[in-house]
Amino acid sequence: MPDGIRTVEELAGERRPDRVADLRELFPEAFADGAVDLARLRVLLGDAVPTLGADEPQERYGLSWPGKREAIRLAQRPSTGTLDPLRHESVGWAGTRNAVVEGENLEVLKLLQKPYYGSVKLIYLDPPYNTGHDFIYEDDFAEPTAAYLRRSGQVDGQGFRTSANRETSGRFHSDWLSMMYPRLVLARSLLAEDGALIVSIDDGELASLRHLVDEIFGSENFVATLIHQRAKGGGNARHVVRGHDYALVVAKSLRSLPPLRRDKVVQGRVEEIDGVRYLVDDDVIRKTFGKYEPGVERRCLYEELVEYKGEAKKREVDERIARGELFLLPWGDGKHAVAKRTPVREASSKLYSIVKVLSEQGRKDLERLGLDGAFDYPKPVDFVQQLVRAATSPNGGDLVLDFFAGSGTTAEAVLRQNADDGGDRRFLLVQLPEESGQPGFPTLAAVTRERVRRAGRLLRSGADTDSVPGDTGFRAFRLSASHFREWSPETSTLLGEDLEVFVDNVEASATDEQIVHEILLKAGVRLDTSLEVLPLAGEVVVLAEGGAVAVSAARRITPDFIEALLDLEPAPRQIFLLDSAFGEDDSLKLNARLRFAARRGETDPDRDHALRTV
């Protein structure tokens, strides 16, 4: 817009992944009059698109269900909500990089797209299994038979059949698929290129889930189906005792995904130095690889390096010994094996496809925190911790997302893994505020927060670990409606009272903190970003990203305030102010935009966007 005004909805949409724009970049000649010319695109794609006869129906392998088209649209529909900070529910707000969000996860995922696009290392989900049993989370997605038959086109509006065979069993799956599809689409865009999605599931929707992830992520990025052995004993099963569930592992890009690791089973020699246990590997260099003869030394001893590996290899080994990466271990007859020490806590091997952690341990985890019975069927911390260990790195600030957070097991798993290996991983949880039915916890989201709170407290106390726990806090947020009123040209006449309402588009009940956080979120600033509150010319400015972004909810902008903003060092990359705060002083606003643009060497403020009003 020529005056630099942006609605928060427009602001949120900037830099959002745009598939049409991606298609235009790849095939610009497939566009005519701003729209996709499907016939031309088909020609450009050539043999990748099958040629069909005029009357030949187009058939292809894939998963279809009544409601899929709407599920696809749902993923593309933008959110008009925001995330309000809940400081009183948070732990260590200023210093933590973890977050727990209360709200409907589809809407929250949409709000996370801009700030977290392509930045999540691991998404772990334990979604509703669609079992038909009672869970705290409403996970029975069966719908009345009559409604399903109408929606799937098998009967008309009067209840008469339109098809010969009624597929009523589909009603148990179609709503579950429609629920999962848009969430997985949005989840994929949040994953980093070397990130992974791991989803726990049982037999009921395993096949459907595999089809979904193949369609959304591409079958070439499927990694494995893990077996989670969760039970033992006979039980009262009619045919087969089911003692396991599954965990589907999918990569954003299989080529970029590192191997999934697990703690190494310690075998062989272990040394302790200064209180740290090391695994000693004395088989670092071998003479040859392949079949070995009994009684023949396979190791290439240090004194044999030149004979078997050459001078260059010996120089390399000597340099590594000098750096402390390798050492010489006496091996008899005056010779030495080339060896290395690996801290036991860092020793690992590739993840095995069967993970044995009994479900009863999940209940014990909650009991240990004084939350007995607060949640039915909680996942064991050890199970999720093994997945976190497998798919993330200790250092680098890897982010773990769980948007079916339940009792908060994923957060505790991240905290414990960080305590075990000194890592700096972060977590972001999302949980719907459903009624929990538990005294003291009105909603399931309250259970989630309290579990994370108590798990962090236990780690900080040192009662449960000898390691330093690191960041055990979290910032709490709640999904709410936007604090900016949106004018709709389709429903508003912009006459009389309608025009007066949108002179100031900020909801009267909104606090300054809520306004600032909404602007920051929709400008692409992450929830864990450090914020500095700065008094300035009688108003307050919030600085984010090291001062690169400045936001103020000041209701009245003065020349002194503009001058103070211009004097900020380092100069913010972008400044966001309320448009209504300029009142009718358009000259002040225009002059401010020109001066902010000129400071960065830009003569046209419409191209610069240094100062933006919403």
Side-chain angles (χ1 to χ4, degrees):
M1 298 176 68
D3 61 357
I5 298 175
R6 295 291 186 277
T7 66
V8 287
E9 285 73 19
E10 288 175 321
L11 184 63
E14 293 176 355
R15 296 192 316 196
R16 179 183 292 146
D18 187 337
R19 292 184 175 182
V20 175
D22 292 341
L23 186 63
R24 185 192 299 272
E25 184 174 342
L26 290 170
F27 302 102
E29 57 271 63
F31 284 77
D33 296 326
V36 180
D37 186 328
L38 293 178
R40 191 177 302 175
L41 180 61
R42 180 184 291 273
V43 173
L44 292 170
L45 290 172
D47 294 340
V49 180
T51 302
L52 301 174
D55 300 321
E56 184 181 354
Q58 188 167 353
E59 297 179 346
R60 58 173 64 94
Y61 177 79
L63 178 65
S64 184
W65 69 91
K68 181 176 182 179
R69 189 172 296 138
E70 178 57 27
I72 294 172
R73 291 196 196 102
L74 198 57
Q76 300 168 344
R77 195 173 300 151
S79 171
T80 57
T82 187
L83 301 179
D84 286 343
L86 302 176
R87 288 181 180 267
H88 64 288
E89 293 282 4
S90 305
V91 176
W93 174 279
T96 186
R97 299 196 65 196
N98 304 311
V100 179
V101 179
E102 172 184 313
E104 200 283 316
N105 56 15
L106 182 62
E107 290 301 300
V108 175
L109 285 171
K110 292 176 181 180
L111 290 170
L112 298 180
Q113 291 299 301
K114 188 172 181 180
Y116 288 95
Y117 179 75
S119 63
V120 178
K121 190 65 168 66
L122 171 64
I123 299 176
Y124 171 71
L125 304 177
D126 184 21
Y129 282 6
N130 202 16
T131 60
H133 300 298
D134 264 343
F135 282 73
I136 293 178
Y137 194 100
E138 183 59 52
D139 71 340
D140 182 3
F141 293 99
E143 63 179 315
T145 300
Y148 171 77
L149 293 175
R150 283 195 302 274
R151 186 162 61 84
S152 61
Q154 296 181 60
V155 297
D156 60 22
Q158 296 178 314
F160 295 110
R161 277 205 224 183
T162 59
S163 61
N165 297 312
R166 295 180 181 176
E167 169 56 286
T168 53
S169 65
R171 72 187 189 276
F172 291 102
H173 302 285
S174 58
D175 276 4
W176 188 88
L177 289 164
S178 291
M179 182 274 294
M180 290 295 293
Y181 186 92
R183 289 162 175 82
L184 291 180
V185 167
L186 295 170
R188 182 184 180 278
S189 66
L190 294 176
L191 276 177
E193 280 301 301
D194 61 349
L197 168 75
I198 304 180
V199 187
S200 288
I201 202 68
D202 70 352
D203 289 317
E205 296 293 356
L206 174 64
S208 297
L209 179 61
R210 176 62 195 270
H211 279 298
L212 274 183
V213 297
D214 280 355
E215 178 171 325
I216 295 168
F217 288 78
S219 59
E220 69 276 10
N221 291 313
F222 179 77
V223 179
T225 300
L226 305 180
I227 305 298
H228 173 202
Q229 186 178 342
R230 57 171 177 75
K232 59 182 179 180
N236 298 313
R238 182 177 179 183
H239 296 111
V240 175
V241 177
R242 289 181 56 253
H244 70 275
D245 285 330
Y246 307 92
L248 263 63
V249 185
V250 190
K252 174 73 171 288
S253 168
L254 191 62
R255 289 176 297 179
S256 303
L257 182 71
L260 303 183
R261 314 299 294 182
R262 64 185 173 99
D263 290 338
K264 193 177 186 69
V265 177
V266 177
Q267 297 176 332
R269 184 170 176 173
V270 175
E271 293 180 352
E272 185 169 323
I273 303 175
D274 297 331
V276 178
R277 297 175 71 238
Y278 292 88
L279 183 65
V280 177
D281 181 3
D282 54 31
D283 193 14
V284 176
I285 303 175
R286 297 178 181 178
K287 294 175 181 176
T288 59
F289 286 87
K291 187 176 182 180
Y292 303 103
E293 298 179 20
V296 177
E297 178 59 70
R298 67 186 183 185
R299 294 167 182 81
C300 182
L301 301 178
Y302 177 77
E303 290 75 13
E304 302 170 330
L305 279 173
V306 174
E307 178 184 352
Y308 286 95
K309 301 295 181 180
E311 289 284 356
K313 185 66 175 178
K314 184 178 183 301
R315 284 195 299 270
E316 177 194 327
V317 170
D318 287 340
E319 290 172 1
R320 295 184 66 187
I321 290 173
R323 292 196 299 266
E325 298 174 7
L326 301 174
F327 71 99
L328 298 181
L329 187 67
W331 207 251
D333 297 330
K335 295 184 178 181
H336 301 80
V338 179
K340 68 177 179 179
R341 296 184 181 95
T342 303
V344 170
R345 68 194 299 176
E346 296 178 9
S348 67
S349 54
K350 290 181 182 177
L351 184 67
Y352 188 53
S353 63
I354 300 175
V355 183
K356 182 179 179 180
V357 184
L358 302 184
S359 292
E360 63 187 40
Q361 186 58 48
R363 291 189 289 273
K364 292 178 181 178
D365 292 335
L366 288 182
E367 290 172 6
R368 188 182 70 254
L369 298 173
L371 292 171
D372 317 38
F375 188 81
D376 293 334
Y377 309 104
K379 276 288 185 290
V381 172
D382 185 36
F383 173 71
V384 181
Q385 186 175 344
Q386 289 189 50
L387 302 180
V388 170
R389 167 80 170 87
T392 64
S393 301
N395 307 114
D398 284 351
L399 179 61
V400 179
L401 169 65
D402 181 353
F403 51 84
F404 288 102
S407 68
T409 298
T410 298
E412 185 173 351
V414 171
L415 294 178
R416 289 191 171 276
Q417 187 58 42
N418 281 344
D420 284 353
D421 61 14
D424 59 1
R425 303 169 186 84
R426 301 165 290 144
F427 62 78
L428 200 173
L429 305 188
V430 183
Q431 178 55 47
L432 190 69
E434 295 189 68
E435 292 185 8
S436 70
Q438 301 295 327
F441 304 107
T443 66
L444 189 51
V447 174
T448 307
R449 288 192 296 266
E450 185 60 24
R451 196 267 180 77
V452 181
R453 203 175 282 125
R454 295 189 187 190
R457 189 183 305 139
L458 184 62
L459 284 170
R460 290 193 301 274
S461 73
D464 217 33
T465 180
D466 295 329
S467 305
V468 179
D471 178 8
T472 57
F474 66 90
R475 292 184 180 182
F477 295 87
R478 176 177 290 142
L479 177 67
S480 77
S482 172
H483 300 297
F484 292 84
R485 292 188 291 267
E486 178 70 3
W487 170 63
S488 172
E490 297 178 359
T491 59
S492 177
T493 61
L494 276 188
L495 296 176
E497 292 182 0
D498 284 341
L499 183 59
E500 291 298 321
V501 165
F502 288 99
V503 167
D504 182 357
N505 63 338
V506 180
E507 293 287 354
S509 60
T511 66
D512 286 2
E513 184 177 43
Q514 290 171 336
I515 292 169
V516 166
H517 275 272
E518 178 166 0
I519 294 173
L520 287 172
L521 176 67
K522 294 180 178 179
V525 176
R526 296 181 182 178
L527 301 177
D528 63 347
T529 299
S530 296
L531 304 176
E532 179 186 357
V533 179
L534 182 68
L536 205 66
E539 300 293 348
V540 173
V541 173
V542 177
L543 302 177
E545 298 182 355
V549 178
V551 180
S552 178
R555 300 305 204 273
R556 182 171 175 270
I557 303 298
T558 63
D560 288 345
F561 185 53
I562 295 297
E563 291 296 332
L565 287 172
L566 284 163
D567 289 339
L568 285 175
E569 291 292 343
R573 183 183 70 248
Q574 282 194 316
I575 297 174
F576 295 90
L577 303 174
L578 297 180
D579 190 71
S580 58
F582 285 92
E584 298 180 1
D585 197 344
D586 292 338
S587 62
L588 175 62
K589 180 170 61 175
L590 177 59
N591 182 57
R593 294 184 64 236
L594 288 168
R595 293 181 68 189
F596 279 109
R599 186 177 57 178
R600 300 202 307 183
E602 176 61 67
T603 58
D604 184 354
D606 290 329
R607 289 204 302 264
D608 183 75
H609 298 317
L611 172 62
R612 311 186 69 174
T613 57
V614 293

